[in-house]
Amino acid sequence: MSLNKNKTLIYFTLFLSCVGFSQEVKTDSTKTEQLEDVIVTATRTVRQLSSLPLPAQIISKKEIQSVNSLRLSDILNEQTGLITVPDFGGGEGIQLQGLDSQYTLILIDGVPLIGRSAGTLDISRVTVGNIKQIEIVKGASSSLYGSEALGGVINIITEKPKYGFNGDLNSRVGSFNTYDNSLNLGYRKKKFSISTFVNSFNSDGYDLNESDALNTVEPFNNQIFNTKLNYNFNDATSLLLSGRYYTQNQDYVASEDLKGESDINEWNTHLKLKHKYSEKWSSYFEFYATRYKADEYLNNPDNSRFSESDFNQLLLRPEIRATYSPNKKSAFIGGLGWNHETLKRTDFSKEPEFNSPYAYLQYDTHPTEKINIILGARFDNHSEYKSQFSPKVALRYKLSDKIAVKGSVGYGYKAPDFRQLYFDFTNATVGYTVLGYNAVSTAIPQLEEEGQIANIVVPISEFDNELKPENSVSFNVGIDYNPITSIKLNFNAFRNNINDLIDTRVIANKTNGQNVFSYYNVHKVYTQGLELNTSWKPSNNLKISGGYQLLFAKEKEAEDAFKNGNVYARLTPSSSSFQLKKQDYFGLYNRSRHMGNLKVFYEFTKLDLDANIRGTYRSKYGLYDTNGNTYLDTYDDFVKRYTIWDLAINKTLFKNYTLGFGIDNVLNFRDTQNISNISGRIIYGKLNIQF
Amino acid sequence: MKTIKFLTLTALFIGFTSCSSDDDNSTPLLEIETQTISNLQATQSADYSTNPATITGDYIKFSFETGATTTGDNWDIAFRGSTILVNGGTATADDQPERTGNASVYLATGTLAEISTVNETSLAQDDATNGLAITTGSGNGWYNYDSTTHIISPIAGKVIVVKTNNGMYAKLEILSYYKDTDTASDSQYYTFNYVYNPNEGVTTF
């Protein structure tokens, strides 16, 4: 443990002196209990969570605060069926319903985060310090959101300021010299509100493997600035302006000799003008702009430059939408928008530009009190790949006050990324070449002219048709059951049929003995399973919740290969091979068959103290094929199942001061060989001051 | 007389039938041979200062008839590094041994025991234009190469079926490319199981 004792001491001394001079005690305005959870992500209108025909979930601010989460990855990891998976270079992406992180759209206040340099969107980039709630909608939602909303949507709703001037200061210090400090300031008058949020997060990182020059996570520091301004011109018209800036600096170490830095700079601006014409009609104009920039370099020991790479993505999106509610039973929402995207990147054949106008419409109706139907569709026209039509239908039927059934079918897709279209990369030391799909028709003739091509394996004419987006049809069927008011049970069965997954293949052989690779649509994959969520509140003080997900994630071609007896394995690397059976196919990499969680929250009202203990379980999973047959089968080596226990205690003093203490990963679970994003036990202290 | 004739016929009949049950050929079939060859060293060296790299080293020739390596022309297949040649067809490079035989090979999918008959139409010879009958490269032929661990591992379920230079059939499964089958040890040491049918023209094992 590298918890710095001196700094901790200073920290607590500071904390105590703060307690000392606190005189002005204001009435706590946060204690207003919400009666019904509402969610905006599922329909882009305000909807009651409990009556929604789609599988959705809300993580409240209260839960985030009581478990003392720092980053989005911390809190999502504790939710049923969600797991963060480490990517190359320390990023963490989210796996949802067994789908990779490329297939889940991440939004902040309804607008997307960009910057998937290798497909993964690193969600540890998002702090939870100024969050009102996190909304998770599972199942394909491209009918509203377009690309990337294939597995689901995670929307982070930031906090709005309360009346008057107020704010809070939050500070947490923990193992690995990790410091997280944030300040939230808010001001609100009748017509006007403004809030500012500043966060600073730095850490020494950690090292799971001491034998090499590299750390598992190199030291880093990052800052977030966020300002939101809201102005109500009158009862009908309002304007929202919001800006966010994120900057991170991290050491970049490739080997003992090659060292450098990596920098990320990201900004988002969001303007939203709302006008309400009547009780029935409202319209919105939205303009969103965001840039994500990542630069890194490596230097030789003599400080000369070894390599440099950069990634610079820009997204501009104007959108108008309108809502129309002819009566209390039904609501329409429709929108028109335009996505404009550009990217500058090392090893690209050109500076690509995407233009994609889109339109969507959704009808949400309650023909009778018991039935709710949602019909929606969206059309995305795209300059660089096949245009997409994404319909969705959802239905909920209330059998009684205690039980309701629901089901939904939707289409989802993910646009090919810039890399899959425009990459033009030749490895300097080994000599192979990777070409994006749209780069093939110009790059291959050029390589031929230079005499680098020995023979063509896939004719260039095959690249005449546009590359298809990866797409899926998702099915969800569920039951909401509340046998008594203190018990909630949600059950959901899901199936995602994913087509046209993009992979690489050899398209030509080079004269240097290496190959030229490019991308193509090939794989068919499915994920299916069950999800169960329960919560029990026997008293106002106690809440127990549990969740479980059963998952089968398989590639169809692989399944057939096993079924037809074409797959073999060896028990030891040099023993004779034997034929594998259908049931020996385990499925896709990095998927656990079983995942579960159990959480107990308890409030000691008299002591102003709340405590919780949370456990998350993950069954065994495979990271790669270890027996050389290219498939993950039951004879491969697996990462062992594990359980992580976290606990946290928060004590409120003088109403506005909260002192927290906790241990994440109490039993110090680590798997240094296989799991790079679990650092081991983390002990921390937290202070929160409200004013 | 009739009795003698009948007895003679009966004796002949019994004689014939008893013969046919275990032997319907005048020359009895030879026994099928099953062997394991361990640590067949087939070292190549590479000079990476040239582009493409210059590979040197002798091909180690193997004969199924003798069950051993050979320096003569009676070889069936030959090893150097991860490359396997067959004694039939035309050379794909200048430094290959002269092909004097008419051997041919193909790569079958199955376990060694499962492959019980030869699919003669699949048999191929090395060819100056079409390349080697046993294709090279990770995943293309008999092995996979792991670019992180740099380990070459024989693909499970791949059996090399050989028509030898003297018209017999053999099948072999490569088990390891490392000395004493230890991947931490030196590479370019073959260990393989083979089955050789020393009966000319018999395509079953």
Side-chain angles (χ1 to χ4, degrees):
Chain A
M1 284 303 97
S2 51
L3 181 65
N4 187 315
K5 278 182 184 162
N6 283 331
K7 284 184 178 167
T8 317
L9 199 70
I10 295 169
Y11 175 86
F12 282 108
T13 318
L14 249 171
F15 161 66
L16 288 173
S17 58
C18 280
V19 176
F21 69 75
S22 79
Q23 294 298 325
E24 46 159 354
V25 177
K26 277 185 187 166
T27 49
D28 190 357
S29 53
T30 56
K31 279 268 161 76
T32 45
E33 284 273 331
Q34 242 176 359
L35 290 172
E36 257 306 341
D37 287 328
V38 291
I39 183 165
V40 295
T41 313
T43 57
R44 298 192 80 162
T45 54
V46 178
R47 274 293 304 258
Q48 220 178 45
L49 175 70
S50 59
S51 70
L52 208 63
L54 306 164
Q57 188 192 347
I58 285 175
I59 307 167
S60 68
K61 182 176 190 169
K62 192 177 165 187
E63 178 174 340
I64 295 167
Q65 285 186 336
S66 62
V67 304
N68 298 324
S69 288
L70 290 179
R71 313 310 272 190
L72 187 59
S73 42
D74 301 338
I75 189 76
L76 291 184
N77 242 330
E78 297 183 2
Q79 311 306 316
T80 310
L82 300 186
I83 185 115
T84 56
V85 174
D87 187 26
F88 310 101
E92 284 182 81
I94 194 82
Q95 189 187 98
L96 184 151
Q97 287 194 344
L99 292 173
D100 271 337
S101 74
Q102 290 101 295
Y103 309 110
T104 295
L105 181 66
I106 310 277
L107 307 169
I108 294 186
D109 288 323
V111 285
L113 280 179
I114 59 166
R116 298 170 184 261
S117 52
T120 307
L121 191 104
D122 182 14
I123 55 166
S124 57
R125 215 164 90 193
V126 181
T127 177
V128 296
N130 61 336
I131 287 181
K132 184 173 153 245
Q133 64 184 28
I134 300 168
E135 305 183 350
I136 302 162
V137 177
K138 292 179 180 174
S141 306
S142 291
S143 62
L144 277 176
Y145 295 101
S147 178
E148 289 178 21
L150 199 138
V153 181
I154 296 174
N155 193 359
I156 295 118
I157 312 291
T158 59
E159 188 62 284
K160 287 189 185 107
K162 298 174 220 65
Y163 255 91
F165 177 75
N166 45 59
D168 68 84
L169 187 79
N170 201 72
S171 182
R172 181 179 135 161
V173 56
S175 309
F176 311 110
N177 276 333
T178 302
Y179 298 89
D180 182 85
N181 297 298
S182 58
L183 174 71
N184 230 324
L185 291 172
Y187 176 72
R188 184 166 172 187
K189 249 179 26 175
K190 258 187 184 169
K191 287 187 164 180
F192 174 76
S193 78
I194 184 165
S195 61
T196 298
F197 173 78
V198 186
N199 173 268
S200 162
F201 182 44
N202 59 71
S203 172
D204 283 355
Y206 56 89
D207 194 10
L208 297 174
N209 180 7
E210 306 278 354
S211 64
D212 58 15
L214 283 66
N215 285 319
T216 310
V217 171
E218 299 292 344
F220 63 86
N221 67 79
N222 64 49
Q223 286 82 38
I224 295 168
F225 306 94
N226 197 173
T227 292
K228 247 179 16 175
L229 192 146
N230 203 84
Y231 187 74
N232 298 328
F233 297 97
N234 49 50
D235 285 348
T237 312
S238 65
L239 176 77
L240 171 85
L241 259 175
S242 133
R244 178 176 171 274
Y245 178 68
Y246 171 84
T247 174
Q248 170 164 294
N249 176 278
Q250 185 165 25
D251 294 353
Y252 179 32
V253 182
S255 68
E256 206 158 321
D257 292 334
L258 299 173
K259 287 176 184 162
E261 272 182 28
S262 77
D263 283 301
I264 295 169
N265 288 290
E266 177 202 0
W267 57 255
N268 328 52
T269 57
H270 185 194
L271 176 147
K272 191 160 85 178
L273 188 66
K274 181 187 171 185
H275 184 72
K276 197 171 163 182
Y277 301 94
S278 68
E279 280 305 309
K280 291 177 178 174
W281 278 98
S282 292
S283 76
Y284 302 80
F285 171 75
E286 214 168 31
F287 184 80
Y288 178 60
T290 179
R291 187 184 284 284
Y292 177 88
K293 222 169 151 295
D295 304 287
E296 57 187 35
Y297 70 86
L298 284 173
N299 276 355
N300 291 310
D302 62 2
N303 261 342
S304 62
R305 194 52 49 99
F306 173 77
S307 74
E308 261 179 358
S309 79
D310 56 271
F311 180 96
N312 187 342
Q313 187 183 0
L314 174 78
L315 168 71
L316 301 178
R317 172 190 292 176
E319 179 178 299
I320 47 164
R321 64 172 178 273
T323 57
Y324 173 61
S325 314
N327 51 51
K328 282 207 165 154
K329 286 179 182 165
S330 25
F332 288 89
I333 181 165
L336 284 171
W338 187 288
N339 279 322
H340 171 82
E341 241 179 305
T342 61
L343 182 68
K344 275 186 226 169
R345 189 180 177 170
T346 327
D347 302 317
F348 262 41
S349 64
K350 63 171 187 175
E351 241 176 68
E353 188 181 307
F354 279 6
N355 280 303
S356 168
Y358 61 86
Y360 60 87
L361 184 67
Q362 177 187 266
Y363 176 48
D364 183 352
T365 181
H366 293 78
T368 74
E369 208 166 286
K370 290 182 169 175
I371 299 175
N372 177 210
I373 300 169
I374 296 175
L375 296 167
R378 172 167 160 141
F379 183 75
D380 288 81
N381 186 352
H382 204 279
S383 57
E384 305 298 311
Y385 60 86
K386 209 162 173 266
S387 296
Q388 294 293 299
F389 177 69
S390 320
K392 181 162 185 169
V393 56
L395 183 123
R396 185 175 196 268
Y397 184 74
K398 204 166 136 183
L399 292 164
S400 73
D401 282 342
K402 288 180 179 170
I403 191 160
V405 289
K406 56 188 181 180
S408 58
V409 183
Y411 176 85
Y413 75 94
K414 182 194 164 283
D417 64 32
F418 287 114
R419 192 176 34 130
Q420 290 159 344
L421 294 174
Y422 302 111
F423 218 24
D424 184 355
F425 169 76
T426 297
N427 183 295
T429 45
V430 185
Y432 63 87
T433 299
V434 186
L435 297 176
Y437 191 91
N438 292 6
V440 170
S441 57
T442 52
I444 288 284
Q446 196 184 332
L447 288 170
E448 267 183 320
E449 215 168 271
E450 290 163 10
Q452 292 200 51
I453 301 290
N455 63 298
I456 303 266
V457 179
V458 180
I460 302 178
S461 58
E462 276 204 23
F463 294 85
D464 288 347
N465 295 322
E466 290 166 325
L467 188 65
K468 279 184 252 167
E470 302 178 314
N471 57 79
S472 87
V473 178
S474 82
F475 303 88
N476 283 274
V477 176
I479 299 167
D480 296 335
Y481 180 48
N482 303 334
I484 49 173
T485 45
S486 63
I487 294 182
K488 275 185 194 168
L489 279 165
N490 302 95
F491 172 84
N492 188 50
F494 60 88
R495 164 113 182 171
N496 295 292
N497 288 331
I498 305 138
N499 291 318
D500 296 323
L501 280 190
I502 295 169
D503 201 357
T504 52
R505 63 172 163 177
V506 173
I507 61 161
N509 308 123
K510 293 179 79 172
T511 47
N512 65 3
Q514 294 293 332
N515 293 318
V516 180
F517 298 88
S518 186
Y519 299 88
Y520 72 134
N521 294 109
V522 57
H523 300 292
K524 284 178 193 290
V525 160
Y526 71 84
T527 74
Q528 67 179 24
L530 300 173
E531 187 181 328
L532 179 71
N533 280 295
T534 66
S535 80
W536 180 42
K537 265 186 109 167
S539 74
N540 269 338
N541 295 345
L542 178 65
K543 185 186 169 188
I544 300 169
S545 70
Y548 169 74
Q549 179 183 272
L550 172 71
L551 174 70
F552 296 88
K554 294 185 171 181
E555 197 186 323
K556 285 208 177 133
E557 202 182 312
E559 210 171 34
D560 289 343
F562 277 81
K563 216 184 279 174
N564 299 336
N566 297 334
V567 187
Y568 296 82
R570 300 172 199 274
L571 276 179
T572 68
S574 58
S575 65
S576 297
S577 47
F578 58 93
Q579 195 176 41
L580 292 175
K581 296 184 192 70
K582 189 189 159 195
Q583 63 266 28
D584 292 327
Y585 177 43
F586 190 82
L588 301 180
Y589 301 116
N590 225 325
R591 267 66 171 190
S592 293
R593 188 123 307 149
H594 311 281
M595 291 203 294
N597 62 73
L598 181 71
K599 302 172 203 172
V600 181
F601 292 86
Y602 195 81
E603 277 180 44
F604 301 86
T605 330
K606 281 183 185 161
L607 294 170
D608 263 338
L609 193 122
D610 65 82
N612 58 73
I613 178 160
R614 293 112 54 212
T616 48
Y617 169 79
R618 181 173 189 191
S619 70
K620 73 168 185 181
Y621 60 99
L623 278 180
Y624 39 85
D625 167 41
T626 56
N627 59 11
N629 59 13
T630 72
Y631 298 105
L632 184 63
D633 60 74
T634 46
Y635 296 93
D636 278 309
D637 295 339
F638 284 83
V639 180
K640 285 197 189 78
R641 63 182 183 192
Y642 63 82
T643 309
I644 288 180
W645 291 98
D646 301 332
L647 54 94
I649 303 170
N650 291 296
K651 158 102 179 132
T652 306
L653 299 159
F654 311 114
K655 273 193 173 167
N656 291 335
Y657 297 81
T658 307
L659 190 61
F661 172 78
I663 306 171
D664 287 344
N665 195 352
V666 179
L667 303 176
N668 197 23
F669 168 79
R670 294 198 308 174
D671 183 337
T672 53
Q673 284 297 309
N674 300 308
I675 311 174
S676 64
N677 64 335
I678 295 178
S679 63
R681 187 187 294 123
I682 293 173
I683 303 169
Y684 63 84
K686 187 192 87 166
L687 165 68
N688 179 279
I689 306 169
Q690 303 220 359
F691 50 87
Chain B
M1 232 0 229
K2 265 188 175 178
T3 331
I4 295 167
K5 236 180 179 176
F6 176 71
L7 279 173
T8 322
L9 276 171
T10 318
L12 278 169
F13 179 69
I14 293 169
F16 266 113
T17 45
S18 60
C19 254
S20 69
S21 70
D22 55 359
D23 213 344
D24 52 2
N25 218 322
S26 50
T27 47
L29 279 178
L30 298 167
E31 220 173 291
I32 292 173
E33 298 163 19
T34 301
Q35 291 283 344
T36 301
I37 300 292
S38 294
N39 294 326
L40 184 149
Q41 190 183 354
T43 313
Q44 68 175 28
S45 21
D47 175 8
Y48 290 104
S49 66
T50 61
N51 190 11
T54 313
I55 310 290
T56 49
D58 290 332
Y59 282 91
I60 306 301
K61 299 183 276 190
F62 184 83
S63 162
F64 289 102
E65 191 182 10
T66 59
T69 57
T70 173
T71 50
D73 287 338
N74 62 331
W75 59 284
D76 300 311
I77 54 172
F79 303 85
R80 186 179 82 178
S82 61
T83 306
I84 300 175
L85 308 180
V86 63
N87 190 3
T90 48
T92 61
D94 296 341
D95 60 350
Q96 291 174 358
E98 198 188 341
R99 288 166 177 78
T100 55
N102 199 26
S104 51
V105 289
Y106 71 92
L107 207 58
T109 300
T111 61
L112 191 62
E114 258 177 22
I115 308 288
S116 53
T117 52
V118 176
N119 181 1
E120 286 170 276
T121 54
S122 299
L123 288 164
Q125 296 186 326
D126 293 342
D127 190 287
T129 41
N130 293 332
L132 297 176
I134 299 174
T135 44
T136 57
S138 177
N140 300 332
W142 65 270
Y143 67 89
N144 278 322
Y145 170 69
D146 185 321
S147 55
T148 29
T149 59
H150 304 295
I151 286 174
I152 283 188
S153 43
I155 299 170
K158 291 290 173 201
V159 171
I160 298 172
V161 179
V162 185
K163 184 182 185 182
T164 65
N165 77 88
N166 51 358
M168 317 291 179
Y169 290 95
K171 55 179 180 177
L172 82 148
E173 181 187 19
I174 298 170
L175 300 176
S176 173
Y177 187 61
Y178 294 87
K179 194 177 182 181
D180 302 327
T181 71
D182 176 7
T183 53
S185 187
D186 292 343
S187 66
Q188 308 182 349
Y189 286 80
Y190 283 88
T191 294
F192 58 88
N193 285 334
Y194 76 86
V195 175
Y196 174 60
N197 190 337
N199 299 291
E200 193 170 352
V202 179
T203 57
T204 53
F205 298 105

